[in-house]
Amino acid sequence: MRPSSSRRWLDTAIFTAVTGVTFAVTLVFAAFFGWLVVHGFYGLRTIPRELPPESAWRWTSMLAGSAKNTVVLVTVAGLIASPFAVAVGFLLSEGRDDRFLRGVRACARAAQGVPSVIVGVGVSAAFVTSCGLSPMAAGAIALALMLLPGMILTTESLARAVPNDLRSAAFALGASRLSVLLGVVLPGTRTAIIAAIVSALIRGVGEAAVLLVTMGTAKEGPLAVLVYHESLQFDLPPTRAHASALIMMVFILSMHLVVLRLRSGVQLGMARW
Amino acid sequence: MVVVEAEAKLEAVDLEAFYGAERVLKRLRIPLVQGAVTAVIGPSGSGKTTLLRCLSRMHELTSGARVQGAVLLDGMNIYDPAVDASAVRRRVATIAAKPNPFPSMSVRENVLSGLTLSGIRAQDAESIVESCLHEVGLWDQIKDRLRIPATALSTVEQQQLCIARSLALRPEVILLDEPCSVLDPMATARIEDLMHDLRERYTLGIATHSMQQAARVSDHVAFVLSGELIEYSDTDRLFTRPSDVRTEDYLTGRFG
Ligand SMILES: Nc1ncnc2c1ncn2[C@@H]1O[C@H](COP(=O)(O)OP(=O)(O)OP(=O)(O)O)[C@@H](O)[C@H]1O
Ligand SMILES: [Mg+2]
């Protein structure tokens, strides 16, 4: 049966409308990035003129310090979280689905929903107030804890995407559970998991709340805290907020490029299953 | 009543299999005779796959699955608590219906995968690859493409590769579960010829729901219905003079 002409007309109308909306949304994003780039560069250029040379220099070095702190915090948080995430995620996908693992999975899901401010409060209470840990170390731990649940669940779902036929084939060859994991599941998922970890770290770069709580408004905070701090200076022109926001977006976009790069490799790999 | 007199390489004795509380194999007694092909036939859901998986200690990998009774490999019960399941799986190879080469590995790596997965580094890797691919009739057409991804091969070549991969472990028994179900008639003939060659050196078991295939490749046939062994006998006799009326009904297409 052929669709009636009014039906086809409706089809065309809906697709045109959806395309239009998509275009509009894309335009909003593009406009936002354009705005940020223009204002960010404007900020970077005007700060030396706006401030006395000495404070301009002080501010610039604070910006550089924040950028460095972001790198250190995110790297350390990634180094802390990813081994646990990969281990637990693989256990969830490869282990026997008993009550223990179901409990672990439920906890990870619940933890994923905990607001980052609250993670910050907990880490402050546990490490900063009682153990006197340095702000930087506490910040890294808090960030790691915040990213861990998501990393665990992503690792699990990526490992589950490996067809069971392949596990079965490996077992039929007399492989142990560990060698099935290392020889079959891991090679099929490694790149995707690395991409997922970098994606999680992108979130870490943008995270301000958890670090504000654990590190205080310490001047040695990361970029996200600087942006937050500068954007609250309502009595000043927004140049510094814009400049630091641009630097932060450069970080995020370059990490995003890494993820895209990794994912394109994964797509090729997936196509072979 | 089923009478079994042949000399068995691998033999199920009062074998029962469960998925949870459900019993899907009922006190089966089936021998796989050395140097012969034994076909397990029966309608879908009769328990052919489960039986083969029990014979190679694969059944227990399904969660909630359990086995009772014994399976004797050269007289040794493979379900004895002292027996290592991995060692049994290397002696009793299993080939799945759908070819499943490892996609992250090349052709060559797939042939050697049974060794590498068990942490064995073969010194004579090249000759193992050559002899195994030769044995499955793949060497000549593939010897210049050993480094390509295994999944780039055609379906039948992938199935041959999966058999070669098992052969690298020098198994004694090879169990094939509907190895031709995703193949066309030409490819099916290729696998059947291969089984004919292999039976001289290995004990073969094949599950199939094609009676024509069972008639072509096997020396003995076990007819299984709802997890029960209805009849076991020489292929010729089973197809020409079945002793059980249910076998006759199945062969004449009255059910299944
Ligand atoms: N993982 C499982 N969990 C529960 N029951 C199962 C499972 N696998 C198979 N069964 C049941 O066990 C019985 C035997 O199944 P099996 O796959 O062994 O039959 P089969 O003869 O191989 O069938 P087919 O010809 O369709 O491959 C069926 O009733 C099936 O429903
Ligand atoms: Mg089956």
Side-chain angles (χ1 to χ4, degrees):
Chain A
M1 207 169 65
R2 283 166 56 87
S4 68
S5 71
S6 71
R7 186 57 213 259
R8 257 182 299 153
W9 183 86
L10 188 66
D11 211 87
T12 314
I14 289 177
F15 269 88
T16 314
V18 171
T19 311
V21 169
T22 309
F23 186 70
V25 169
T26 315
L27 213 60
V28 170
F29 287 138
F32 170 73
F33 283 124
W35 177 88
L36 188 65
V37 169
V38 170
H39 284 78
F41 275 114
Y42 175 77
L44 286 173
R45 270 195 306 118
T46 43
I47 284 165
R49 274 179 269 142
E50 215 172 76
L51 296 175
E54 200 179 317
S55 9
W57 172 246
R58 221 176 318 116
W59 191 84
T60 318
S61 56
M62 191 167 77
L63 179 67
S66 297
K68 195 200 79 190
N69 290 339
T70 292
V71 173
V72 173
L73 277 169
V74 165
T75 310
V76 174
L79 290 177
I80 297 173
S82 45
F84 288 104
V86 170
V88 178
F90 276 135
L91 182 66
L92 284 177
S93 93
E94 306 304 301
R96 285 230 157 165
D97 200 31
D98 54 14
R99 197 176 302 169
F100 169 63
L101 288 189
R102 281 198 293 270
V104 172
R105 191 178 298 115
C107 285
R109 292 216 177 108
Q112 208 179 10
V114 175
S116 60
V117 177
I118 293 175
V119 175
V121 171
V123 170
S124 294
F127 294 103
V128 184
T129 330
S130 55
C131 314
L133 212 60
S134 77
M136 204 64 171
I141 291 174
L143 208 52
L145 280 176
M146 204 198 83
L147 300 177
L148 190 57
M151 285 186 179
I152 289 174
L153 295 171
T154 316
T155 306
E156 183 196 359
S157 63
L158 289 169
R160 278 188 189 278
V162 174
N164 268 330
D165 284 4
L166 298 180
R167 292 187 180 83
S168 207
F171 281 123
L173 294 167
S176 65
R177 283 207 293 180
L178 185 64
S179 48
V180 171
L181 174 61
L182 298 180
V184 176
V185 181
L186 193 60
T189 49
R190 193 170 28 215
T191 332
I193 288 174
I194 294 172
I197 288 173
V198 179
S199 293
L201 295 182
I202 291 180
R203 264 192 67 210
V205 171
E207 190 51 59
V210 72
L211 298 173
L212 269 170
V213 178
T214 38
M215 306 178 70
T217 34
K219 283 279 182 278
E220 56 270 22
L223 280 170
V225 171
L226 180 68
V227 174
Y228 178 82
H229 180 74
E230 294 296 351
S231 55
L232 290 181
Q233 311 291 312
F234 296 114
D235 45 347
L236 295 177
T239 40
R240 274 167 266 175
H242 292 167
S244 41
L246 176 67
I247 301 294
M248 197 168 127
M249 282 310 292
V250 169
F251 267 77
I252 288 177
L253 289 179
S254 44
M255 286 166 81
H256 190 63
L257 285 180
V258 173
V259 173
L260 287 182
R261 198 51 226 262
L262 289 168
R263 291 241 170 93
S264 69
V266 173
Q267 302 279 290
L268 291 176
M270 289 289 229
R272 303 213 308 257
W273 283 342
Chain B
M1 195 51 230
V2 180
V3 185
V4 172
E5 54 315 89
E7 165 80 20
K9 169 77 184 175
L10 184 68
E11 184 172 17
V13 181
D14 291 339
L15 181 70
E16 307 218 301
F18 300 81
Y19 289 107
E22 195 193 352
R23 189 172 65 143
V24 297
L25 294 183
K26 294 156 197 164
R27 298 188 80 82
L28 293 188
R29 189 182 183 92
I30 298 179
L32 265 64
V33 177
Q34 172 89 54
V37 179
T38 305
V40 180
I41 62 169
S44 185
S46 55
K48 305 180 294 294
T49 299
T50 307
L51 170 62
L52 293 195
R53 286 174 66 84
C54 287
L55 295 179
S56 55
R57 292 210 52 179
M58 292 293 288
H59 182 63
E60 65 210 59
L61 290 172
T62 307
S63 83
R66 194 164 55 80
V67 173
Q68 247 170 44
V71 173
L72 306 178
L73 176 58
D74 288 333
M76 170 201 75
N77 183 7
I78 63 171
Y79 284 100
D80 190 295
V83 172
D84 172 30
S86 294
V88 171
R89 293 176 196 145
R90 284 191 281 266
R91 290 178 67 187
V92 183
T94 319
I95 309 296
K98 218 172 121 243
N100 51 14
F102 298 118
S104 56
M105 301 182 193
S106 66
V107 169
R108 176 181 179 280
E109 288 165 338
N110 262 282
V111 178
L112 296 171
S113 61
L115 301 168
T116 47
L117 283 170
S118 299
I120 304 165
R121 275 189 72 94
Q123 296 97 353
D124 51 347
E126 301 323 311
S127 72
I128 291 176
V129 172
E130 178 171 350
S131 71
C132 292
L133 289 175
H134 220 99
E135 225 174 328
V136 298
L138 213 49
W139 175 252
D140 290 324
Q141 66 196 85
I142 222 178
K143 60 174 185 278
D144 303 319
R145 293 185 289 158
L146 296 177
R147 311 261 161 193
I148 66 168
T151 41
L153 300 179
S154 75
T155 316
V156 64
E157 288 170 337
Q158 288 185 28
Q159 192 62 301
Q160 287 170 288
L161 176 62
C162 289
I163 297 172
R165 172 174 77 180
S166 296
L167 295 182
L169 293 168
R170 300 279 117 215
E172 295 152 50
V173 181
I174 303 174
L175 305 176
L176 304 100
D177 185 6
E178 298 187 30
C180 306
S181 60
V182 296
L183 302 178
D184 67 20
M186 291 265 284
T188 298
R190 204 147 128 191
I191 298 292
E192 287 178 1
D193 288 348
L194 173 57
M195 290 179 64
H196 197 80
D197 294 342
L198 292 175
R199 64 119 87 90
E200 288 169 14
R201 295 180 297 284
Y202 306 94
T203 301
L204 261 59
I206 175 177
T208 176
H209 47 211
S210 156
M211 286 173 271
Q212 291 81 355
Q213 181 168 59
R216 284 191 300 265
V217 302
S218 72
D219 305 287
H220 310 280
V221 181
F223 172 53
V224 179
L225 185 62
S226 310
E228 264 179 276
L229 177 64
I230 303 300
E231 186 162 354
Y232 169 92
S233 79
D234 293 349
T235 302
D236 285 344
R237 197 169 65 212
L238 188 128
F239 281 108
T240 51
R241 282 167 287 128
S243 59
D244 193 293
V245 62
R246 287 167 293 183
T247 314
E248 201 173 333
D249 286 351
Y250 182 62
L251 296 178
T252 52
R254 233 161 284 171
F255 65 85

